[in-house]
Amino acid sequence: FVVHRRSLADLMYNQNSDTGCMHYEHFPRELFWDNADDRGQLVYHFVSVYNSLHRFGYGGKPDVLILDEFALLRRHIVNKTTRHCLASSHMRFVSLVKEAKLVILLQHIVSLEDARFFTSLADVDPQDRRKVVPLLVKKPTTMHPLKTTKRHAVAVKMMLEKYDESFVSRSGGDDDDSGRDEDTAQYVGRDVSSTVSSAISSLTWSHGRGTGAGVEGRAHQSNTCNKGEAIGGSGESLGNDEDDGYRTCHRPFVVFSTKKNSSNYFAKILKARAIEIGANPARIRLVTASLKQADEWNMVFFKNPNERASDCDVLIATSVIGSGISLDTHFGSFVAFLYSGVLTVNDDWQLIRRCRVGASLRDSEIDRTSILYIEEGGGGSGCIDIISAIEEGGKLHADIVSDLLRKCKHKSVRAKIAEVTSLKESLYFDALNRAYWTNVAEYKKSRSKHDELWKKRLEETLRPEEFQSVDDSHGYSDAELAALDDSLRKWNTLQAERICRKLGRGTTISSEEERKELATMNLRAGVKASENAAFHAAAVYFKAARELMGADGWANDHGMMIKLCSEGANACFICNDVEMMHKFIDEVISKDISVDEKFRAFEVKSLAAQGEGKFEESLSLSMEVYRQLGLPVFKNKPASTLTVKKELIKTKRAVKGMTAEDIASLPLLTDERVIKGQRLLELMLTSSFMSQPTVFPLVSFLLVNVSLKFGINASSCKGFATYAVLLSGSFGDPQRGREMANAVDLMLEKSGMDMERMKSTANVHNIGMTYPWTSPLHGCLAPLLKGYQWGLESGDTESAMYNLMFRSWFLVYVGRPLDLVQQELQANCDLMAYTNQLAIKYWVLPYLLLASKLRGVEIDVDEKDFESIEEHCLEMKMIAHRATAIIVQLELLLFLSDWKAAAKKLGTEDLRQFVPGLYPSVRYTFLEALIILKRAQDVKSFIKKLGLKKRALKPIKLLRGWVKNGNVNAVHYLHLVEAQLAALEGMNTKAAEKYKLAIAAATRGGFIQDRALSHELASEYHAVTGNDFWRDYHFDSAIKSYTDWGASIKVTQLERKRKQKVSDADV
């Protein structure tokens, strides 16, 4: 039973139709639905694609299941093209994997992630060598010499020279075929078809075929057919025309491009060159996925690629050649253009090996040297692809559930829920969701480090003499290269104009009116692209529109220029084009226009400052614009506790007695000036939290009070959401805080208030900040991913990244396996950097560093220690970020049992004031109490012990209050610190009982790391009391829990401690 992607299954059927290898589209319906004989055995060998598995009725267990190109199949499974059949096809697929006696995974490069995706479906460890056997099969082919360059124009110039030289015969001059014998002629020019390579190819695809002539006979016959006679004798010409008026190509080659637009460009310039030198332009062939379905020659080529190769002097191909095609004949070398952000480096490598040319061609004629253009990292449009992948991944489970509920015939709602939940557990989260995040990480890494990874791949795979790096000019003049760069730029412009024509827009600019019309069209296209979160495309449209408006743009259309520059600045900000963003912003701000007209530019400037970590600058700017609008606001300086309490009392009085429904039913805000002010208060909330934490509650109270006075709008959601956070955390009223959060949820359901843009940011505050005070952390993970998708859909990239930030924190705090945590956090950090949300990245970096250090592995970031993170936060005045970094350091020191260093790092500063209402403040309180009590146990002075105990009572009191108010995530924290306190006071019975309660609560809540810590501390306690049985039991349990968590360094530490105990006992 063979499962392929669709294109490969098509190829398999075309090559094996005579062998009884049945194809999914050509099964008689009765066989397709019940393909088994009386004994329950499959009647045929069966080739299918993933999409059609749900149509296959056979219910038996296959002997052998072959998954060909399974790494690409993994990506195909989580692609949107499978959405319509995923629920049914994947269940069938999982059952095949589980039931097969033998599963064979075939792929050029097999990563552990690839293997894990499929083995997890059968509950098999991919590294269990009793069940999973890796085999390396080397084909007798090698990559021929490569010349690599990072300069696009150089690669194009080398390609054109290669084409020119391919018409010069190395044995007898230009186009001189004299002196060749009959045996040699078949290896030269368009008639090349290696018997050796064809035999290999036929053995691969045509095993068992018993009809027709041998391979060599067929090859010879195809190359000597009459003019106009196609292979197979149809008599229809498909490009094999011989015309003595054209020059003969002696060294045909392949041009491979990972971008379709570029492949069209190469076809254009090569055909132009063919006309110049007297070659046949029709022998420049282009193959793409779209042409494969529409172009006659493409359709024939994909049926028999190696037989139709002789139709080409140059074959230009996109990644469609990865669909089960190996070009083993005719071509001697290739030119590959590998752009970053399109495919991963592994995919690039596999696809150019499709062009490896294994044919044994005549040495005097063949040109084995190939050319590689490798775009530098950071280019391309990879972010759009990544975002699309994550969006699709998030929608996947919802689509599966809705499909099941729609088809489900159960009368009982409980039965429906049970079926959906079962599928959710077995189908989506364990394998498919992991596959999405793996793809995101792979694509992002390949995009950002494209050239570095390629250099490493070449150095590891090839000998030094097999590849050569070409310098920036390669001896070509600047004028030549500039002309080629200009040619490509004009081509891209031409493509944009063609798109405009498809949309019914004019492209010829013959007057100022038409120039303005085209600029208007680009502006509209940019706005539309921004609405669809395609900000890279939007930025291109806005730049083009600005260029078209020219120097007199402001004089000609004042209003259009304001919108163009303001929205262009926003698109460039999200695309990380900082230079162009500032040009747009400065152009608006420098004009003598009203603050209302400048408002959007000020808003983007404030957002950009936040993205760069300049929160003090953002706060000052927002306050200044707020005053320019004529609205009163407090000063940008630390607020006293008395001031905060005073404003809290006023706000509580204002909302006293109001339910969530009452708040959501308030009239809508209609005053445009106040609406702009509310948006500025939104920005102030973020900036003040980072740079002036004492001002943060004042901004929240002001947002709430303005909403109560003038009416509610989208910004009101953030005001009430932050008020809910403050009530839940800082002011100890989580139940009232939950009521305010419910009010936000109800407001989001209202129409006519631009609520779509607030869904993501409200999710950040409700799910990330308020709910953890009364709800399990585990239940917050999936909603945060949903909030991330809402942010992308609405264009609120900042809130999207904040959702990922909280998800990253909670993944660590709930005790997810550290390898998975590190993988997702690395992907999140990369995405935050790419979307210019650097400040949010510094919220996540400490947690990524924690996971890597506990695992003992390196991470792919610039900041590889906590000290550098702290220094950066101090330099950028990111107080809350620095406090979080310190809290995470305390976490690491605690898990590594470096209690002395932890106590020193703890110091006397109360970090809770810098992270008010956030879950790290809860974790910090737990760590603080634990570290102080542990330190008190170690000191000998009674006075110091008493002082430390007194200091520990404050965080313990806070934990007791939180647990009393319903914080289910802090229950095991409280049990563990009370166990340590009882041990310090010599209350042995109570201490032992509290350790048991802490372990039980951590186990029940799924906090595997805290269960491990509780076992470890319990072991130390029983060692002091002399109870060897419980000491050893808890010690072994701690090692097991830390192992399950993935903390390799900690496990090694404990094992070393065990060996030392044994050694001491022997002594």
Side-chain angles (χ1 to χ4, degrees):
F1 197 109
V2 186
V3 178
H4 291 294
R5 290 169 295 121
R6 184 183 187 98
S7 53
L8 193 55
D10 290 339
L11 181 67
M12 287 288 288
Y13 175 73
N14 291 330
Q15 295 288 341
N16 293 277
S17 56
D18 298 331
T19 65
C21 185
M22 296 304 293
H23 186 268
Y24 64 100
E25 286 185 345
H26 302 280
F27 256 97
R29 183 175 181 85
E30 63 276 8
L31 287 179
F32 199 96
W33 289 99
D34 189 16
N35 181 30
D37 59 18
D38 295 338
R39 297 174 300 160
Q41 297 298 313
L42 283 173
V43 178
Y44 301 99
H45 297 296
F46 186 75
V47 180
S48 178
V49 289
Y50 177 86
N51 301 44
S52 294
L53 286 176
H54 66 289
R55 297 168 50 200
F56 186 61
Y58 172 64
K61 298 181 179 180
D63 293 318
V64 181
L65 174 66
I66 302 175
L67 306 181
D68 193 39
E69 293 198 34
F70 71 94
L72 297 179
L73 178 62
R74 168 170 67 88
R75 294 188 180 91
H76 173 74
I77 288 174
V78 292
N79 188 280
K80 61 183 179 182
T81 57
T82 64
R83 185 61 43 78
H84 70 285
C85 62
L86 185 59
S88 49
S89 279
H90 198 69
M91 284 190 289
R92 187 72 189 94
F93 180 71
V94 172
S95 66
L96 283 171
V97 173
K98 287 183 175 181
E99 294 169 356
K101 297 177 182 177
L102 174 65
V103 179
I104 300 175
L105 307 178
L106 302 177
Q107 186 69 34
H108 168 58
I109 296 174
V110 180
S111 70
L112 184 59
E113 282 302 323
D114 293 331
R116 181 179 283 121
F117 174 71
F118 292 97
T119 57
S120 64
L121 302 180
D123 301 320
V124 174
D125 182 356
Q127 300 188 73
D128 184 353
R129 292 296 169 258
R130 297 169 299 175
K131 296 182 178 180
V132 181
V133 181
L135 299 174
L136 176 63
V137 181
K138 287 190 175 182
K139 287 188 176 182
T141 58
T142 58
M143 291 291 291
H144 27 68
L146 297 173
K147 288 185 178 180
T148 67
T149 179
K150 297 179 184 178
R151 180 78 183 270
H152 194 273
V154 170
V156 174
K157 184 69 175 174
M158 293 171 70
M159 177 186 70
L160 292 173
E161 286 186 352
K162 188 179 183 70
Y163 181 65
D164 291 346
E165 294 169 359
S166 70
F167 291 91
V168 179
S169 174
R170 294 177 178 176
S171 60
D174 188 7
D175 295 343
D176 181 11
D177 293 338
S178 62
R180 295 182 187 157
D181 56 34
E182 186 176 340
D183 293 333
T184 303
Q186 63 176 318
Y187 296 109
V188 181
R190 286 164 287 177
D191 295 335
V192 172
S193 182
S194 165
T195 57
V196 175
S197 197
S198 295
I200 294 174
S201 178
S202 295
L203 282 172
T204 304
W205 301 118
S206 303
H207 179 69
R209 181 176 297 179
T211 60
V215 174
E216 298 178 39
R218 290 200 311 276
H220 179 74
Q221 183 183 13
S222 68
N223 290 315
T224 57
C225 58
N226 296 325
K227 179 178 179 180
E229 182 182 14
I231 297 174
S234 67
E236 182 181 359
S237 175
L238 292 171
N240 256 346
D241 305 75
E242 282 288 345
D243 191 330
D244 294 336
Y246 291 120
R247 298 173 65 184
T248 300
C249 178
H250 303 291
R251 287 173 295 283
F253 60 92
V254 177
V255 175
F256 171 68
S257 170
T258 56
K259 285 185 178 179
K260 180 183 176 182
N261 186 50
S262 295
S263 65
N264 289 324
Y265 168 69
F266 299 142
K268 169 183 172 290
I269 62 175
L270 282 169
K271 286 185 177 183
R273 180 59 63 91
I275 294 172
E276 290 177 12
I277 66 175
N280 187 354
R283 293 182 60 78
I284 308 294
R285 293 290 187 178
L286 174 64
V287 293
T288 66
S290 57
L291 289 176
K292 177 183 174 182
Q293 306 298 327
D295 176 68
E296 186 177 5
W297 186 86
N298 268 255
M299 288 187 281
V300 174
F301 171 80
F302 279 101
K303 289 183 178 179
N304 297 290
N306 283 304
E307 293 185 12
R308 300 309 310 201
S310 59
D311 294 347
C312 313
D313 291 343
V314 178
L315 178 70
I316 304 170
T318 60
S319 56
V320 71
I321 68 169
S323 302
I325 298 172
S326 291
L327 296 172
D328 296 328
T329 64
H330 188 61
F331 304 105
S333 57
F334 64 85
V335 181
F337 291 83
L338 307 176
Y339 301 94
S340 68
V342 182
L343 302 174
T344 67
V345 171
N346 283 341
D347 292 341
D348 281 344
W349 178 254
Q350 179 159 348
L351 287 169
I352 68 164
R353 285 179 66 90
R354 298 282 181 195
C355 311
R356 62 186 177 275
V357 191
S360 301
L361 304 178
R362 199 176 73 170
D363 292 340
S364 63
E365 288 298 329
I366 191 62
D367 176 15
R368 287 295 194 184
T369 302
S370 294
I371 301 165
L372 271 183
Y373 163 69
I374 303 171
E375 187 175 28
E376 293 187 25
S381 56
C383 184
I384 296 176
D385 294 334
I386 292 169
I387 291 175
S388 298
I390 302 173
E391 284 178 329
E392 291 298 328
K395 294 174 183 175
L396 188 61
H397 178 249
D399 286 356
I400 295 171
V401 169
S402 62
D403 182 58
L404 276 180
L405 289 175
R406 186 172 59 255
K407 295 178 180 178
C408 191
K409 303 300 181 182
H410 299 286
K411 295 181 180 180
S412 170
V413 175
R414 185 175 298 176
K416 290 183 181 180
I417 295 174
E419 183 174 356
V420 170
T421 303
S422 175
L423 182 64
K424 174 182 174 181
E425 293 173 352
S426 63
L427 181 67
Y428 177 64
F429 281 103
D430 291 343
L432 297 181
N433 195 38
R434 179 188 178 91
Y436 265 103
W437 282 104
T438 301
N439 291 348
V440 170
E442 290 172 354
Y443 274 102
K444 179 57 187 171
K445 186 174 182 180
S446 291
R447 191 209 64 78
S448 60
K449 297 181 179 295
H450 190 247
D451 54 321
E452 296 176 31
L453 294 171
W454 255 106
K455 181 181 178 182
K456 183 179 179 182
R457 171 60 57 82
L458 292 172
E459 290 174 348
E460 290 176 349
T461 308
L462 304 181
R463 296 188 298 272
E465 64 272 15
E466 290 181 323
F467 70 97
Q468 170 194 355
S469 296
V470 173
D471 58 35
D472 288 341
S473 65
H474 196 49
Y476 302 125
S477 68
D478 291 340
E480 287 179 304
L481 298 178
L484 285 170
D485 287 333
D486 186 58
S487 170
L488 180 61
R489 182 184 64 79
K490 289 180 178 178
W491 172 262
N492 289 329
T493 302
L494 179 63
Q495 303 315 302
E497 291 176 354
R498 284 175 177 169
I499 292 173
C500 289
R501 280 198 293 272
K502 288 181 180 179
L503 297 174
R505 303 169 183 171
T507 58
T508 304
I509 305 174
S510 57
S511 66
E512 285 302 317
E513 289 75 14
E514 290 188 15
R515 181 180 293 276
K516 183 178 178 181
E517 182 183 358
L518 186 57
T520 303
M521 292 173 182
N522 276 277
L523 173 59
R524 291 173 183 168
V527 172
K528 188 66 177 177
S530 295
E531 290 172 353
N532 293 325
F535 294 105
H536 284 78
V540 173
Y541 285 121
F542 288 131
K543 291 175 189 176
R546 180 64 192 92
E547 185 177 350
L548 287 165
M549 291 297 290
D552 298 329
W554 286 93
N556 293 333
D557 196 325
H558 171 87
M560 178 178 173
M561 288 298 294
I562 291 174
K563 185 171 184 178
L564 167 60
C565 293
S566 300
E567 296 305 323
N570 184 61
C572 291
F573 160 61
I574 296 174
C575 295
N576 203 17
D577 188 349
V578 179
E579 182 180 357
M580 195 64 203
M581 175 197 72
H582 284 300
K583 285 182 180 179
F584 276 131
I585 291 173
D586 294 342
E587 191 169 355
V588 177
I589 294 177
S590 64
K591 300 299 176 184
D592 186 16
I593 53 180
S594 68
V595 66
D596 287 319
E597 293 176 304
K598 294 180 180 179
F599 178 79
R600 178 60 169 157
F602 279 130
E603 179 187 11
V604 176
K605 187 174 183 178
S606 182
L607 283 168
Q610 290 180 3
E612 295 171 3
K614 300 175 182 178
F615 294 104
E616 184 68 30
E617 178 184 322
S618 175
L619 180 59
S620 299
L621 175 64
S622 298
M623 285 186 169
E624 177 60 30
V625 178
Y626 196 85
R627 293 190 188 96
Q628 289 181 26
L629 288 171
L631 300 171
V633 70
F634 35 80
K635 294 182 179 180
N636 182 13
K637 65 177 185 179
S640 66
T641 304
L642 181 62
T643 301
V644 173
K645 288 184 177 180
K646 177 182 174 183
E647 293 300 319
L648 172 64
I649 292 171
K650 284 173 57 179
T651 306
K652 280 188 171 182
R653 285 175 179 170
V655 296
K656 185 177 180 181
M658 296 184 72
T659 64
E661 291 76 12
D662 295 334
I663 294 171
S665 300
L666 289 170
L668 301 183
L669 175 61
T670 56
D671 189 323
E672 284 296 326
R673 184 174 63 100
V674 179
I675 289 174
K676 288 184 172 69
Q678 293 287 73
R679 174 58 180 152
L680 290 170
L681 289 176
E682 274 189 66
L683 298 175
M684 287 185 222
L685 278 171
T686 302
S687 301
S688 62
F689 188 89
M690 305 300 180
S691 60
Q692 290 279 21
T694 56
V695 172
F696 173 74
L698 300 184
V699 181
S700 176
F701 300 152
L702 182 57
L703 247 175
V704 170
N705 285 301
V706 171
S707 298
L708 294 173
K709 182 177 180 180
F710 293 97
I712 58 174
N713 71 334
S715 299
S716 304
C717 293
K718 194 166 184 177
F720 281 98
T722 51
Y723 182 51
V725 173
L726 291 168
L727 288 176
S728 299
S730 303
F731 303 124
D733 192 356
Q735 301 306 323
R736 184 60 173 165
R738 192 67 179 251
E739 182 74 13
M740 296 296 104
N742 291 338
V744 174
D745 290 335
L746 292 174
M747 279 191 278
L748 288 174
E749 296 175 1
K750 303 190 74 167
S751 59
M753 293 170 52
D754 190 24
M755 284 302 182
E756 283 300 315
R757 76 171 182 86
M758 290 306 302
K759 288 173 68 176
S760 181
T761 189
N763 198 74
V764 169
H765 293 87
N766 286 357
I767 305 298
M769 302 185 192
T770 301
Y771 286 9
W773 290 95
T774 54
S775 301
L777 281 182
H778 288 274
C780 298
L781 294 174
L784 286 169
L785 192 58
K786 189 66 176 176
Y788 163 71
Q789 294 150 11
W790 286 334
L792 295 180
E793 291 165 1
S794 64
D796 187 0
T797 310
E798 181 188 37
S799 295
M801 295 304 118
Y802 272 120
N803 274 281
L804 283 188
M805 180 198 82
F806 279 103
R807 178 177 165 87
S808 299
W809 288 2
F810 295 168
L811 284 170
V812 175
Y813 288 134
V814 301
R816 286 288 176 88
L818 287 175
D819 59 337
L820 301 182
V821 170
Q822 182 177 337
Q823 182 183 12
E824 181 166 335
L825 266 59
Q826 180 73 66
N828 292 348
C829 285
D830 290 343
L831 197 55
M832 290 164 185
Y834 190 83
T835 54
N836 202 26
Q837 298 295 334
L838 302 179
I840 304 177
K841 174 185 173 183
Y842 275 90
W843 281 112
V844 179
L845 267 180
Y847 292 88
L848 175 59
L849 197 58
L850 171 69
S852 70
K853 288 190 176 297
L854 287 171
R855 293 185 66 219
V857 297
E858 288 294 324
I859 54 174
D860 189 19
V861 294
D862 296 331
E863 299 80 2
K864 297 187 183 297
D865 57 74
F866 288 104
E867 289 73 19
S868 61
I869 294 177
E870 277 194 69
E871 289 174 7
H872 177 82
C873 294
L874 284 172
E875 180 184 349
M876 301 301 296
K877 297 181 180 179
M878 298 190 298
I879 301 173
H881 291 74
R882 175 181 171 270
T884 304
I886 294 174
I887 292 170
V888 177
Q889 286 182 74
L890 294 175
E891 188 104 29
L892 177 64
L893 293 170
L894 182 145
F895 279 117
L896 296 181
S897 300
D898 194 347
W899 298 99
K900 187 174 181 181
K904 183 178 180 181
K905 191 68 183 178
L906 181 66
T908 57
E909 187 179 29
D910 186 359
L911 299 180
R912 274 179 293 271
Q913 62 180 314
F914 303 122
V915 284
L918 300 184
Y919 193 80
S921 66
V922 180
R923 187 70 179 182
Y924 168 75
T925 303
F926 165 63
L927 299 175
E928 179 188 22
L930 213 53
I931 292 168
I932 294 172
L933 289 172
K934 187 67 176 177
R935 186 64 181 153
Q937 291 175 0
D938 295 337
V939 299
K940 296 182 180 179
S941 169
F942 176 78
I943 300 299
K944 288 184 178 180
K945 192 183 292 287
L946 193 62
L948 289 168
K949 176 184 172 182
K950 183 178 180 181
R951 182 184 169 189
L953 290 177
K954 178 183 176 181
I956 294 175
K957 182 179 179 181
L958 285 173
L959 287 172
R960 285 170 177 162
W962 292 334
V963 171
K964 183 179 179 180
N965 286 329
N967 192 328
V968 295
N969 301 300
V971 173
H972 64 288
Y973 294 170
L974 181 60
H975 286 316
L976 188 54
V977 296
E978 286 183 338
Q980 291 292 96
L981 179 62
L984 178 66
E985 295 174 340
M987 303 171 66
N988 293 341
T989 302
K990 181 179 179 181
E993 184 62 28
K994 285 292 183 180
Y995 281 123
K996 291 180 181 178
L997 290 174
I999 293 167
T1003 302
R1004 187 167 55 251
F1007 301 97
I1008 189 172
Q1009 81 282 27
D1010 294 333
R1011 182 182 71 195
L1013 179 64
S1014 300
H1015 275 300
E1016 183 183 6
L1017 294 178
S1019 176
E1020 292 178 2
Y1021 165 74
H1022 286 295
V1024 172
T1025 60
N1027 192 326
D1028 293 346
F1029 173 80
W1030 286 111
R1031 177 201 66 189
D1032 294 340
Y1033 167 77
H1034 287 296
F1035 191 84
D1036 292 341
S1037 298
I1039 290 179
K1040 184 180 184 306
S1041 295
Y1042 280 125
T1043 301
D1044 293 342
W1045 188 33
S1048 304
I1049 296 299
K1050 180 63 180 181
V1051 173
T1052 302
Q1053 183 189 67
L1054 291 179
E1055 291 288 2
R1056 191 182 300 118
K1057 186 176 180 180
R1058 188 209 298 273
K1059 291 179 181 178
Q1060 184 63 40
K1061 285 182 179 180
V1062 173
S1063 177
D1064 292 344
D1066 291 341
V1067 172

